[in-house]
Amino acid sequence: MTADALLTTETMLDAFAAAGRVLPRTAMAQAANRWPEIGPALLARLQAAADGTDRSERTNRILFFGIYLMAQVRETRAFRPLCAIAADGNRIFQLIGDGVTEDLSLILTRVYDGQPTPLRELIEAAGADEYTRNSAIGALAWLTAAGRIHRDETTSYLRDLHTTLRPQSECYVWVGWQRAIGTLALDELVPLVEKTFERGWIDLG
């Protein structure tokens, strides 16, 4: 089969599953260009991963590339299952590894479906990884800066988090919280940030 040959959906999935961390360029390019064909198969696997009905290594390998494809084509149907996966302990690390700290904020921003509730639930998920929650707050800040979430709504939410977010102790999620406030220049919340530093909840060292 030549690099220019038309791949079937199953052949593309096989290429993702067999690629390891080497980019399967032909399969990725064709999948992006033929998203209406390949998209449903990847979304079904993402939903199964979110439901816990498919945690196979094959699906994990497929979704490593599939999640980035969904972000590339701005597949909003991926937003809710992706938030659910990210809220499930360290599950998201099994799928995208270091992409949690490097790319997850952008991925969530690109697949955002217009409803902030799943993102807030991820931010507030005490059982989720702290770096994942940090990435979710980063996405919230980006979406707000872009006008996709109302600034007043985010300001009120970040203010409320100061008393509702858990743990009320040192955790990297507080780094994301204070960075969101800084990114959005929410000067009215600076006193809360100062209190958080005083309590030792944020460690930038």
Side-chain angles (χ1 to χ4, degrees):
M1 181 175 293
T2 67
D4 295 327
L6 194 65
L7 304 178
T8 66
T9 296
E10 195 58 36
T11 301
M12 283 188 259
L13 295 178
D14 288 343
F16 297 156
R21 292 299 188 259
V22 178
L23 186 66
R25 296 182 182 277
T26 298
M28 290 285 285
Q30 291 197 23
N33 290 333
R34 296 159 53 199
W35 187 251
E37 175 185 341
I38 186 67
L42 289 170
L43 284 164
R45 283 163 175 78
L46 186 70
Q47 187 61 59
D51 295 342
T53 57
D54 186 353
R55 298 198 169 193
S56 66
E57 185 57 31
R58 173 179 169 81
T59 289
N60 289 352
R61 291 196 297 266
I62 289 171
L63 287 178
F64 174 79
F65 298 104
I67 288 170
Y68 282 95
L69 272 169
M70 292 174 200
Q72 179 182 341
V73 302
R74 298 183 181 272
E75 176 53 80
T76 58
R77 291 174 292 178
F79 180 64
R80 293 171 188 250
L82 186 58
C83 285
I85 290 169
D88 182 11
N90 294 317
R91 177 74 173 118
I92 189 66
F93 281 94
Q94 297 173 355
L95 301 182
I96 62 173
D98 291 342
V100 170
T101 55
E102 297 174 3
D103 306 316
L104 185 56
S105 285
L106 180 58
I107 291 170
L108 290 169
T109 300
R110 292 181 69 91
V111 301
Y112 178 63
D113 68 359
Q115 295 297 325
T117 299
L119 190 61
R120 291 175 180 172
E121 291 175 347
L122 172 55
I123 291 168
E124 297 168 34
D129 175 81
E130 61 187 313
Y131 295 99
T132 301
R133 298 169 72 192
N134 171 74
S135 294
I137 295 183
L140 178 75
W142 285 9
L143 289 164
T144 303
R148 299 184 65 192
I149 299 177
H150 199 281
R151 181 181 176 87
D152 289 345
E153 183 180 348
T154 295
T155 301
S156 178
Y157 179 64
L158 292 174
R159 181 185 292 111
D160 291 344
L161 283 181
H162 187 257
T163 56
T164 63
L165 191 64
R166 297 292 183 271
Q168 295 273 296
S169 59
E170 184 182 337
C171 179
Y172 203 73
V173 69
W174 289 109
V175 174
W177 175 81
Q178 65 89 20
R179 284 179 177 167
I181 291 170
T183 296
L184 298 171
L186 302 177
D187 294 342
E188 62 269 46
L189 300 187
V190 169
L192 295 182
V193 173
E194 293 173 346
K195 288 181 181 179
T196 305
F197 273 101
E198 289 169 2
R199 294 171 181 174
W201 295 358
I202 299 174
D203 180 6
L204 298 179

